[in-house]
Amino acid sequence: MILSVLLLVLIVGAALLLMLSPLRQGTPDDPDAPERTRLLTERDRLYTELAALHEDDPKRPDLERRAALTLRGLDALPPAVQGNARRTGRLALIGVGVMALLTVAGALTFVPRWQLAALNADESRNVQAVLELPGLRRAAERTDTDAAYMAWGKAAFDSGQYDQAVTAYGNALKQNPRQPEALRRLGILLLTRGEQTGQKISDADAERATLLIRTAAQLAPREAESQLLLGFALARYGQDDAALTALESYRTLDPKGRDADELITAIRARQNDSDPALRVYAASCASCHGAAGGGGIGPSLRASRLTRESLKAVTLQGRGAMPAFPNLSAAELTGLLDLMEKWQEEGQ
């Protein structure tokens, strides 16, 4: 904050120094002034002498020749720089006004952006999105196009201005109802509105919101956010297996994404309490094959075509980079094999 104030003071000081300098200087300097003054003095002197001579005076031709040379010298000089105190003052005041406007603009744009250097990447993007919101909103309302509404909605959503995001994405879908980003983000905002307002969402509204998210995932199954928000929506209604499948897809599409970690952990905890096979799987297999067998570092167990005997052999003896698990009890092994065969039947 202190640095920002100092920067503004320096900008204002520099602006005033530059803009008021014409007032201090008055008429601008004429680099040819000495020579111009000498020639004008010489011209006036010669004219005075010529005026005092008779027409037939023998000195007259020489004086006329010298006067002509003096006039030629004056003509050869560039035009004198003419100063105008009133005009100079007016220009200076206009300049001060312009610099004041630029200073205000700098306070609202340059200084905040300069301060972004102290923020991390996500914080910086959020602050920039907030700064851009008013302009994006005006552009959307003026042009009434889906692209402008999408730009406004994205900036609002990314900066946490969710009321604006709902309005923007809703208008974008009126223009074009097949926009995955608008569908899934509007859906998740409607689905979680109760958490934001403290009011319980109705079952009908919850179903509509979930449908928006499902539709987005169908339109753009390879977009990580589609699978992430689908996973959140399914988990809210206790569809843990389907939620894990979606969240695994999210992790595959965005290996660096960490937004699903807590939810995956919570779902695993719920499942492990009720299913011994899932407890064994979570402890020994999930880190490589995914929370619900959809694959990760290791291959997908849901896409596997191995027989039960082959699955048993690989589990107990290992294969390639996969370690062996020879210490599983008979009950643990049976439950694990039953689980993998169930996933094979369900598929992806």
Side-chain angles (χ1 to χ4, degrees), residues 197-235:
T197 63
Q199 299 176 348
K200 187 178 185 301
I201 185 174
S202 68
D203 292 340
D205 286 342
E207 289 179 6
R208 282 193 287 268
T210 303
L211 179 60
L212 292 175
I213 298 170
R214 286 183 182 275
T215 303
Q218 292 170 355
L219 290 173
R222 301 300 299 170
E223 291 183 6
E225 190 178 73
S226 287
Q227 298 300 329
L228 174 65
L229 298 186
L230 178 60
F232 278 118
L234 294 172

Side-chain angles (χ1 to χ4, degrees), residues 27-28 30 79-84 87-88:
T27 302
D30 181 0
V81 178
Q82 298 297 322
N84 185 314
R87 181 172 180 272
T88 300

Side-chain angles (χ1 to χ4, degrees), residues 62-103:
D62 181 59
L63 291 175
E64 289 178 344
R65 181 183 62 80
R66 289 163 58 187
L69 291 174
T70 300
L71 292 175
R72 189 179 302 172
L74 284 170
D75 291 340
L77 292 175
V81 178
Q82 298 297 322
N84 185 314
R86 294 180 64 181
R87 181 172 180 272
T88 300
R90 187 162 57 248
L91 290 176
L93 291 176
I94 292 173
V96 170
V98 171
M99 289 306 298
L101 291 175
L102 291 176
T103 300

